[in-house]
Amino acid sequence: MTTESDATRSLDLLDGNFYVNDPYPTYAWMRENSPAHWDTTNELWGISRYDDIVEIERRKDVFINSDQVKGGYRPNLPADPAIIGLDDPFHAQRRALVARRFTPKSVADKQPQIHAVVTGLIDAAIAKGTVEVIEDLASPLPALMIGRLLGFEDDDWPKLRDWSERTIALGGGPRYFNQDGLDAAIEFAVAAAELYEQKKTCPMDDLMTMYTTAEIVGQQFGQGEAVSDALLLLDGGAETTRTVIARTLLLLDAYPEQWAKLKAGADIGVAVEEFIRYVTPIHNMCRVANTDFDLHGD
């Protein structure tokens, strides 16, 4: 049973330092003592039990992404027009536009070019003598690959990396809104809009070309929506890749027996799936309840 002291324990769930400084004991405490915990600082509920999170995901009639008052997927900020700021049926339609690019077969077909990119990054880093994992590998890799997916030139990857690193924090709520992040979002929007117009006359096998002719039933889809979805893909892909690579290396250093298993021939595909699950590159996701709702009686 949740005690009064449990319920009033102060947790700032939007503090970046909370996630950097080993949040796992706090997660365990929440699940045991306060699974629906009220964060007074940010005026939101922290939900920590698996079954409750599944219930929230299933009840799309109650928990929405598109709220314009308390926030959609970003806490205390109005939802924007990207895929993740929409509810069904528009969310499903917009997601379907890009889903085929992320099927197991589509990803497998890209393995040779991904292998070539990773090998090139590692060779260049080793040639320097000292490897900085984020700078030399974890951030260039997604910037380059997502840039190709969207239709940018390979030479644009440093700018894409810069834009993703400057805009990603904006999703953490009002306290993380700053002029530099907003400037980066505008810079990306200008470049993406130019790419959108270019693809109208010079179509290629990329997402921006697809966006130029995309149609959503019952909703406008044009340049603005294409730019919003492109930035979402850039930030989401870059952040998850950077986080998983960096935190995994730290964990392998902390647990050398796991590193020894990899060197001895453990299945790297299975290992990567476990790395993603354990590291949890997306720390939290916001939904807004449009009516009162009980989660398993809480």
Side-chain angles (χ1 to χ4, degrees):
M1 177 180 295
T2 302
T3 66
E4 182 177 357
S5 60
D6 291 332
T8 57
R9 177 173 172 176
S10 177
L11 292 179
D12 183 350
L13 297 175
L14 298 183
D15 181 4
N17 290 323
F18 168 70
Y19 298 99
V20 171
N21 295 317
D22 190 11
Y24 294 99
T26 302
Y27 294 157
W29 173 86
M30 290 173 67
R31 286 192 295 271
E32 180 67 24
N33 299 285
S34 186
H37 188 84
W38 180 244
D39 174 351
T40 57
T41 300
N42 302 292
E43 297 185 336
L44 53 81
W45 293 98
I47 308 300
S48 56
R49 291 188 301 200
Y50 176 83
D51 288 344
D52 290 340
I53 293 170
V54 170
E55 179 74 2
I56 289 170
E57 287 294 305
R58 287 175 175 167
R59 291 300 304 268
K60 296 179 182 180
D61 57 322
V62 175
F63 298 97
I64 62 174
N65 305 323
S66 60
D67 186 78
Q68 296 294 310
V69 180
K70 284 299 292 179
Y73 66 95
R74 303 176 303 174
N76 300 314
L77 289 169
D80 61 30
I83 302 174
I84 204 169
L86 301 173
D87 301 314
D88 284 342
F90 303 126
H91 173 88
Q93 292 183 62
R94 290 269 284 274
R95 181 174 178 141
L97 292 177
V98 300
R100 70 180 183 86
R101 303 280 180 158
F102 297 97
T103 63
K105 182 181 184 308
S106 293
V107 173
D109 288 344
K110 290 182 174 61
Q111 282 189 357
Q113 62 171 298
I114 294 171
H115 184 273
V117 169
V118 172
T119 300
L121 290 171
I122 292 175
D123 287 347
I126 291 175
K128 291 167 45 181
T130 301
V131 178
E132 207 296 315
V133 171
I134 300 295
E135 180 70 19
D136 296 334
L137 178 62
S139 64
L141 174 60
L144 180 54
M145 296 310 303
I146 297 169
R148 287 184 181 179
L149 180 69
L150 290 172
F152 284 93
E153 297 292 335
D154 281 0
D155 290 344
D156 289 329
W157 78 258
K159 292 186 292 186
L160 291 165
R161 176 176 68 173
D162 178 64
W163 289 327
S164 71
E165 291 179 349
R166 293 161 61 200
T167 58
I168 188 64
L170 298 178
R175 85 173 78 170
Y176 295 105
F177 256 61
N178 58 58
Q179 192 58 49
D180 182 64
L182 294 173
D183 288 345
I186 293 170
E187 292 164 17
F188 174 82
V190 170
E194 291 175 353
L195 183 65
Y196 180 91
E197 295 303 319
Q198 174 189 329
K199 296 298 180 179
K200 286 182 177 180
T201 56
C202 186
M204 301 288 285
D205 183 22
D206 52 54
L207 285 180
M208 197 61 79
T209 296
M210 181 272 296
Y211 283 147
T212 64
T213 59
E215 295 184 0
I216 300 296
V217 177
Q219 188 185 62
Q220 174 182 323
F221 190 91
Q223 184 190 97
E225 290 73 23
V227 169
S228 293
D229 284 1
L231 182 56
L232 176 71
L233 289 169
L234 174 63
D235 278 357
E239 176 67 6
T240 53
T241 304
R242 282 195 301 262
T243 303
V244 170
I245 291 175
R247 296 296 288 183
T248 294
L249 289 176
L250 288 174
L251 287 166
L252 289 174
D253 181 63
Y255 298 96
E257 72 280 5
Q258 300 299 319
W259 175 235
K261 289 181 180 180
L262 279 179
K263 290 196 296 182
D267 189 316
I268 189 65
V270 173
V272 169
E273 292 290 334
E274 289 303 311
F275 294 155
I276 294 171
R277 274 191 282 269
Y278 191 84
V279 169
T280 315
I282 299 298
H283 293 128
N284 54 64
M285 184 61 66
C286 182
R287 297 285 187 273
V288 174
N290 57 22
T291 186
D292 291 340
F293 190 85
D294 288 336
L295 286 171
H296 299 278
D298 290 327

